[in-house]
Amino acid sequence: MVSYIILTMKRIIVIDTNVILSALQSSKGKSFELISKIGSGLFDFAVSVPLVLEYEAILRNHLDRNFFSDSDIDYFIDYICTAGVKTKIFYLWRPYLKDPFDDHVLELAINAEAESIVTFNKKDFLEAETLGIKIQTPKEFLEEMEG
């Protein structure tokens, strides 16, 4: 009898800051659905120091502070750091994208061997597709994952 072991690799993605912000601003969209699936075992997401710092800065400056305190934001960032795949950036690809502020997201995707960058700003990452990285909205990623 021959037995086979089938290894399935978990999908690794990078979640752009605009998706995180959108998820925390409304529980009705695909961003919130995606963030709700963190820790479910359906996918892994990569984080790096520059991306976590960007998450924190954007959340502190753009979330409604009547609903989100500093400690709420700290708790969320701690959770992201715990649940994410910590990835060190060993080399830089800058400048590569049209928007130099997005290059650190691409560098993370390359170093983490991510299959996708999940973002609402697909046009900002078009060059990443030439490197074999999919650029997807939360809806596109969820539909592909489920289908």
PDB file of all heavy atoms in Angstrom, residues 96-101 103 123-124 126-127:
ATOM      1  N   TYR A  96      10.494  51.226  -6.582  1.00  0.00           N
ATOM      2  CA  TYR A  96       9.933  50.275  -7.535  1.00  0.00           C
ATOM      3  C   TYR A  96       8.520  50.684  -7.950  1.00  0.00           C
ATOM      4  O   TYR A  96       8.179  50.629  -9.105  1.00  0.00           O
ATOM      5  CB  TYR A  96       9.924  48.865  -6.937  1.00  0.00           C
ATOM      6  CG  TYR A  96       9.702  47.793  -7.975  1.00  0.00           C
ATOM      7  CD1 TYR A  96      10.759  47.320  -8.734  1.00  0.00           C
ATOM      8  CD2 TYR A  96       8.444  47.280  -8.218  1.00  0.00           C
ATOM      9  CE1 TYR A  96      10.572  46.353  -9.706  1.00  0.00           C
ATOM     10  CE2 TYR A  96       8.237  46.316  -9.190  1.00  0.00           C
ATOM     11  CZ  TYR A  96       9.301  45.857  -9.924  1.00  0.00           C
ATOM     12  OH  TYR A  96       9.117  44.903 -10.896  1.00  0.00           O
ATOM     13  N   LEU A  97       7.715  51.077  -6.987  1.00  0.00           N
ATOM     14  CA  LEU A  97       6.333  51.463  -7.276  1.00  0.00           C
ATOM     15  C   LEU A  97       6.235  52.958  -7.569  1.00  0.00           C
ATOM     16  O   LEU A  97       7.119  53.733  -7.206  1.00  0.00           O
ATOM     17  CB  LEU A  97       5.434  51.116  -6.088  1.00  0.00           C
ATOM     18  CG  LEU A  97       5.387  49.638  -5.694  1.00  0.00           C
ATOM     19  CD1 LEU A  97       4.604  49.467  -4.403  1.00  0.00           C
ATOM     20  CD2 LEU A  97       4.790  48.801  -6.811  1.00  0.00           C
ATOM     21  N   LYS A  98       5.131  53.353  -8.187  1.00  0.00           N
ATOM     22  CA  LYS A  98       4.913  54.775  -8.479  1.00  0.00           C
ATOM     23  C   LYS A  98       4.876  55.607  -7.204  1.00  0.00           C
ATOM     24  O   LYS A  98       5.404  56.705  -7.165  1.00  0.00           O
ATOM     25  CB  LYS A  98       3.609  54.967  -9.253  1.00  0.00           C
ATOM     26  CG  LYS A  98       3.682  54.506 -10.668  1.00  0.00           C
ATOM     27  CD  LYS A  98       2.361  54.732 -11.375  1.00  0.00           C
ATOM     28  CE  LYS A  98       2.424  54.129 -12.753  1.00  0.00           C
ATOM     29  NZ  LYS A  98       1.148  54.174 -13.445  1.00  0.00           N
ATOM     30  N   ASP A  99       4.217  55.067  -6.177  1.00  0.00           N
ATOM     31  CA  ASP A  99       4.129  55.773  -4.894  1.00  0.00           C
ATOM     32  C   ASP A  99       5.206  55.209  -3.963  1.00  0.00           C
ATOM     33  O   ASP A  99       5.091  54.076  -3.495  1.00  0.00           O
ATOM     34  CB  ASP A  99       2.746  55.581  -4.278  1.00  0.00           C
ATOM     35  CG  ASP A  99       2.563  56.345  -2.973  1.00  0.00           C
ATOM     36  OD1 ASP A  99       3.564  56.867  -2.415  1.00  0.00           O
ATOM     37  OD2 ASP A  99       1.413  56.426  -2.499  1.00  0.00           O
ATOM     38  N   PRO A 100       6.250  55.972  -3.682  1.00  0.00           N
ATOM     39  CA  PRO A 100       7.336  55.451  -2.846  1.00  0.00           C
ATOM     40  C   PRO A 100       6.901  55.076  -1.429  1.00  0.00           C
ATOM     41  O   PRO A 100       7.569  54.293  -0.767  1.00  0.00           O
ATOM     42  CB  PRO A 100       8.361  56.585  -2.831  1.00  0.00           C
ATOM     43  CG  PRO A 100       7.623  57.807  -3.246  1.00  0.00           C
ATOM     44  CD  PRO A 100       6.480  57.355  -4.091  1.00  0.00           C
ATOM     45  N   PHE A 101       5.758  55.591  -0.973  1.00  0.00           N
ATOM     46  CA  PHE A 101       5.265  55.243   0.360  1.00  0.00           C
ATOM     47  C   PHE A 101       4.679  53.828   0.403  1.00  0.00           C
ATOM     48  O   PHE A 101       4.394  53.311   1.480  1.00  0.00           O
ATOM     49  CB  PHE A 101       4.238  56.267   0.851  1.00  0.00           C
ATOM     50  CG  PHE A 101       4.834  57.620   1.098  1.00  0.00           C
ATOM     51  CD1 PHE A 101       4.555  58.678   0.255  1.00  0.00           C
ATOM     52  CD2 PHE A 101       5.702  57.830   2.169  1.00  0.00           C
ATOM     53  CE1 PHE A 101       5.115  59.923   0.475  1.00  0.00           C
ATOM     54  CE2 PHE A 101       6.271  59.073   2.396  1.00  0.00           C
ATOM     55  CZ  PHE A 101       5.980  60.116   1.548  1.00  0.00           C
ATOM     56  N   ASP A 103       6.321  51.246  -1.239  1.00  0.00           N
ATOM     57  CA  ASP A 103       7.410  50.300  -1.479  1.00  0.00           C
ATOM     58  C   ASP A 103       7.633  49.343  -0.306  1.00  0.00           C
ATOM     59  O   ASP A 103       7.965  48.178  -0.512  1.00  0.00           O
ATOM     60  CB  ASP A 103       8.714  51.031  -1.813  1.00  0.00           C
ATOM     61  CG  ASP A 103       8.788  51.460  -3.274  1.00  0.00           C
ATOM     62  OD1 ASP A 103       8.263  50.733  -4.137  1.00  0.00           O
ATOM     63  OD2 ASP A 103       9.380  52.516  -3.543  1.00  0.00           O
ATOM     64  N   LYS A 123      -4.289  50.131  -8.308  1.00  0.00           N
ATOM     65  CA  LYS A 123      -3.481  50.826  -9.313  1.00  0.00           C
ATOM     66  C   LYS A 123      -2.103  51.209  -8.775  1.00  0.00           C
ATOM     67  O   LYS A 123      -1.153  51.300  -9.540  1.00  0.00           O
ATOM     68  CB  LYS A 123      -4.219  52.050  -9.846  1.00  0.00           C
ATOM     69  CG  LYS A 123      -4.450  53.132  -8.824  1.00  0.00           C
ATOM     70  CD  LYS A 123      -5.162  54.325  -9.417  1.00  0.00           C
ATOM     71  CE  LYS A 123      -5.488  55.396  -8.434  1.00  0.00           C
ATOM     72  NZ  LYS A 123      -4.600  55.678  -7.361  1.00  0.00           N
ATOM     73  N   ASP A 124      -1.993  51.379  -7.458  1.00  0.00           N
ATOM     74  CA  ASP A 124      -0.711  51.752  -6.870  1.00  0.00           C
ATOM     75  C   ASP A 124       0.287  50.599  -6.846  1.00  0.00           C
ATOM     76  O   ASP A 124       1.471  50.814  -6.632  1.00  0.00           O
ATOM     77  CB  ASP A 124      -0.904  52.256  -5.435  1.00  0.00           C
ATOM     78  CG  ASP A 124      -1.655  53.574  -5.379  1.00  0.00           C
ATOM     79  OD1 ASP A 124      -1.763  54.256  -6.421  1.00  0.00           O
ATOM     80  OD2 ASP A 124      -2.140  53.932  -4.292  1.00  0.00           O
ATOM     81  N   LEU A 126       0.407  48.044  -9.381  1.00  0.00           N
ATOM     82  CA  LEU A 126       0.423  47.335 -10.660  1.00  0.00           C
ATOM     83  C   LEU A 126       1.783  46.712 -10.970  1.00  0.00           C
ATOM     84  O   LEU A 126       1.854  45.594 -11.483  1.00  0.00           O
ATOM     85  CB  LEU A 126       0.002  48.273 -11.793  1.00  0.00           C
ATOM     86  CG  LEU A 126      -1.469  48.692 -11.796  1.00  0.00           C
ATOM     87  CD1 LEU A 126      -1.737  49.672 -12.917  1.00  0.00           C
ATOM     88  CD2 LEU A 126      -2.379  47.486 -11.880  1.00  0.00           C
ATOM     89  N   GLU A 127       2.848  47.410 -10.652  1.00  0.00           N
ATOM     90  CA  GLU A 127       4.185  46.895 -10.949  1.00  0.00           C
ATOM     91  C   GLU A 127       4.487  45.606 -10.186  1.00  0.00           C
ATOM     92  O   GLU A 127       5.301  44.793 -10.610  1.00  0.00           O
ATOM     93  CB  GLU A 127       5.267  47.937 -10.625  1.00  0.00           C
ATOM     94  CG  GLU A 127       5.190  49.187 -11.455  1.00  0.00           C
ATOM     95  CD  GLU A 127       4.345  50.291 -10.818  1.00  0.00           C
ATOM     96  OE1 GLU A 127       3.562  50.014  -9.884  1.00  0.00           O
ATOM     97  OE2 GLU A 127       4.456  51.433 -11.274  1.00  0.00           O
TER      98      GLU A 127
END
